[in-house]
Amino acid sequence: MNRILACIDASTYATSVVDLAAWAATRLGADVELLHVVQRKDAVASRNDHSGAIGLGVKSELLEELTRIEEAAGRLAIEEGRILLGRRRHSLEGAGHHGRVDAPAWRDRGDDRRA
Amino acid sequence: MTFATSLRREWLSNPRADVLAGIVVALALIPEAIGFSIIAGVDPSVGLFASFSIAVIISLVGGRPGMISAATAAIAVLVLPLIRDHGVQYLFAATILMGLIQGVAGFLKLDLLMQYVSRSVITGFVNALAILIFIAQLPQLTNVGWETYVMVAAGLAIIYLFPRLTKAIPSPLVAIVILTIVSIYAGIKVNTVGDMGKLPSSLPAFGIPQVPFTLETLRIIFPYSLTMAAVGLLESMMTAQIVDDLTDTPSNKRREMKGQGIANFLTGFLGGMGGCAMIGQSVINVKSGGSTRLSTFVSGAFLLFLIVVLGPLVARIPMPALVAVMIMVSIGTFSWGSIRNLKSHPWQSSVVMLVTVLVVVSTHDLAQGVVAGVILSGLFFASKVKRLFDVASELSADGRTRTYRVSGQVFFASSERFADAFDFKEVLDNVVIDLTAAHFWDISAVGSLDKAILKFRREGTHVEVIGLNQASATMVDRFAVHDKPGAEAALGAH
């Protein structure tokens, strides 16, 4: 079975990617799979603290703070990804494409190691 | 991972934040490198060159991006007697050998040993390290005038209060600059860095340590190199774990071990003392936004720039300013949560932590503390697991057969209880030992089963062992003697 993987993000290119995937799918009689990779927020680089002072319980406080920042950003990114995929899926169906439209979510943890 | 992706991910994922963090770390490394040189009893140039060289080399070959390695307190406290008795050239030779040992340890996959270092031991190690750093400041705080205490207090006040004003510049640097200016203009009589020894006046040069290449030299340096290598790897592995947790990214511990080896090996030739990863500096790096190899590289390169350009100025820094920075590092390294946890954690964990701290503080050797902690946590574990053991028995209706049901873990610590569970005085025709629910772990367990069987046989009782599960069966098949000829003679020797 043929399947077309359309990789999308929040950029404007996503529109043409989805349009072309829909076109190709219609001609080939294939399914379209939408893929959106949730980007990992790197909280370490986004803190602007160059005080260089370390005090009581600095390790646990820093871990707490980084977790809090990444947690909020991560939730937002997942929600945005869902909306993004939902909209594209809608436009695929609107274009009269009735093949299978999957909407998987993948997380890039920046640590995928290939052996 | 291809070269391009690793370059982007490990070096250039966020250059601006990494360069800034590297600069913050370099500024904090100066007082530490000087402070640790003084602890070891060598010229500040030895620690400064070491910090430059280790940081730069480890940024290229290490396995944990974003971790800072340089000359450390843990190594400095170890080498003091070597330098006192034999001179600084032996330190360079010991550092080279330390690097070789660490490289070999990396190839032997000794990072796997870290699995046996429990959390309590790690906490004890970190606390002991903090205490060692603090103790090392005491010579600067005894037999000195009141000016020193005032300056240390002022330095600490600046370090902790200045960030409320702005977090754009490192507060330890502000403390050092202000205290230096004040002491020069007010003419305060306190020790300065220049009084502590020679500062570098040129770039480090490659040279072979001037020691006789004899077995005698090896005999002198090998024990030091071995301990330095062990302590360096321990602190590096623990720091790597802390950076892993903070950044939520994995690291290659084995590559880090080999990298530490390469860094120390080369540093010895550059006239530097041995070093390893630094907990305090690595936390400062992550806190300042550094998480890649770039920040580590910048910290080393900028450190060299600073000491070569600012050398004459560095000599005028008053020692109390450095002491204040080192006290900050000590406070930042100490795990304060562990004091609170003393009450809530199981007493065994607290004992392991405290014993690790006590052994380190009394021997000034972090490796001995960790060994003590690991042995103790192993003993506590064995004594907990041995309680997972029970023997129940029932007599058959005709009164001729007793069935013992053993369940739980049988190993060296519980084998005595296992042997005591049988009643050999009871007159029986048959004894059935049901081991279906038991696990035999070692030859002590097998040995006590053998003994029990032989004792029953000597009473004229027929013994049947049933339900040895697969794991226990392998153990019994390999080691037991009760079903082989000459069994009694063999056991009689015990």
Side-chain angles (χ1 to χ4, degrees), chain A residues 8-12 14-15 18 34 80-94 103:
Chain A
I8 56 165
D9 60 8
S11 72
T12 48
T15 312
V18 173
L34 288 176
E80 278 174 357
R82 283 214 182 100
I83 293 170
L84 207 63
L85 285 166
R87 208 167 63 220
R88 296 301 174 191
R89 181 182 185 148
H90 194 73
S91 65
L92 265 181
E93 285 163 355

Side-chain angles (χ1 to χ4, degrees), chain A residues 44-45 47 50-51 53-54 59, chain B residues 14 160 167 170-171 287 289 333:
Chain A
V44 173
R47 295 172 72 260
H50 301 108
S51 67
I54 49 174
K59 285 187 289 270
Chain B
N14 206 326
Y160 286 116
K167 289 183 173 177
S171 64
K287 191 167 179 254
T333 304

Side-chain angles (χ1 to χ4, degrees), chain B residues 204-229:
Chain B
F206 198 82
I208 291 168
Q210 285 153 11
V211 295
F213 289 93
T214 58
L215 271 179
E216 175 65 13
T217 306
L218 188 65
R219 197 188 58 77
I220 294 168
I221 64 172
F222 185 76
Y224 285 100
S225 300
L226 193 64
T227 319
M228 287 159 79

Side-chain angles (χ1 to χ4, degrees), chain B residues 243-369:
Chain B
V243 178
D244 284 359
D245 292 347
L246 285 177
T247 60
D248 191 19
T249 51
S251 60
N252 186 338
K253 303 277 193 318
R254 201 161 298 156
R255 184 173 169 193
E256 181 63 37
M257 286 181 102
K258 293 175 190 167
Q260 292 286 337
I262 297 170
N264 283 313
F265 179 75
L266 295 177
T267 298
F269 288 108
L270 285 176
M273 61 195 277
C276 60
M278 312 172 87
I279 294 173
Q281 294 291 349
S282 299
V283 172
I284 291 177
N285 185 37
V286 175
K287 191 167 179 254
S288 311
S291 60
T292 69
R293 297 179 181 278
L294 183 62
S295 62
T296 312
F297 181 85
V298 169
S299 72
F302 194 66
L303 174 72
L304 183 70
F305 170 78
L306 285 174
I307 52 183
V308 171
V309 173
L310 302 178
L313 280 177
V314 170
R316 306 193 68 174
I317 296 174
M319 283 307 293
L322 288 198
V323 171
V325 175
M326 301 295 283
I327 290 176
M328 175 204 84
V329 171
S330 165
I331 293 173
T333 304
F334 199 87
S335 167
W336 294 88
S338 66
I339 304 288
R340 271 199 312 275
N341 290 338
L342 278 181
K343 275 187 184 170
S344 55
H345 280 184
W347 65 267
Q348 289 96 336
S349 313
S350 305
V351 169
V352 168
M353 195 275 276
L354 291 173
V355 165
T356 308
V357 171
L358 285 176
V359 172
V360 172
V361 172
S362 58
T363 61
H364 279 208
D365 182 349
L366 286 151
Q368 290 187 36

Side-chain angles (χ1 to χ4, degrees), chain B residues 286-458:
Chain B
V286 175
K287 191 167 179 254
S288 311
S291 60
T292 69
R293 297 179 181 278
L294 183 62
S295 62
T296 312
F297 181 85
V298 169
S299 72
F302 194 66
L303 174 72
L304 183 70
F305 170 78
L306 285 174
I307 52 183
V308 171
V309 173
L310 302 178
L313 280 177
V314 170
R316 306 193 68 174
I317 296 174
M319 283 307 293
L322 288 198
V323 171
V325 175
M326 301 295 283
I327 290 176
M328 175 204 84
V329 171
S330 165
I331 293 173
T333 304
F334 199 87
S335 167
W336 294 88
S338 66
I339 304 288
R340 271 199 312 275
N341 290 338
L342 278 181
K343 275 187 184 170
S344 55
H345 280 184
W347 65 267
Q348 289 96 336
S349 313
S350 305
V351 169
V352 168
M353 195 275 276
L354 291 173
V355 165
T356 308
V357 171
L358 285 176
V359 172
V360 172
V361 172
S362 58
T363 61
H364 279 208
D365 182 349
L366 286 151
Q368 290 187 36
V370 168
V371 168
V374 167
I375 292 174
L376 204 56
S377 44
L379 288 180
F380 281 136
F381 178 74
S383 72
K384 274 184 185 171
V385 172
K386 79 169 186 190
R387 286 184 224 146
L388 301 172
F389 168 79
D390 188 50
V391 178
S393 73
E394 61 190 39
L395 196 62
S396 64
D398 59 5
R400 292 179 172 222
T401 304
R402 184 175 281 281
T403 307
Y404 286 95
R405 286 184 219 287
V406 185
S407 59
Q409 316 302 326
V410 188
F411 62 113
F412 62 91
S414 58
S415 60
E416 197 176 331
R417 275 179 66 203
F418 175 80
D420 290 346
F422 300 103
D423 181 3
F424 300 107
K425 288 183 180 160
E426 193 178 18
V427 179
L428 294 166
D429 288 349
N430 297 299
V431 158
V432 178
I433 302 179
D434 182 357
L435 300 173
T436 314
H439 278 275
F440 274 46
W441 287 105
D442 56 11
I443 51 172
S444 304
V446 178
S448 53
L449 175 63
D450 275 349
K451 266 193 190 169
I453 291 167
L454 287 174
K455 278 191 177 175
F456 277 125
R457 277 174 56 194
R458 286 178 157 200

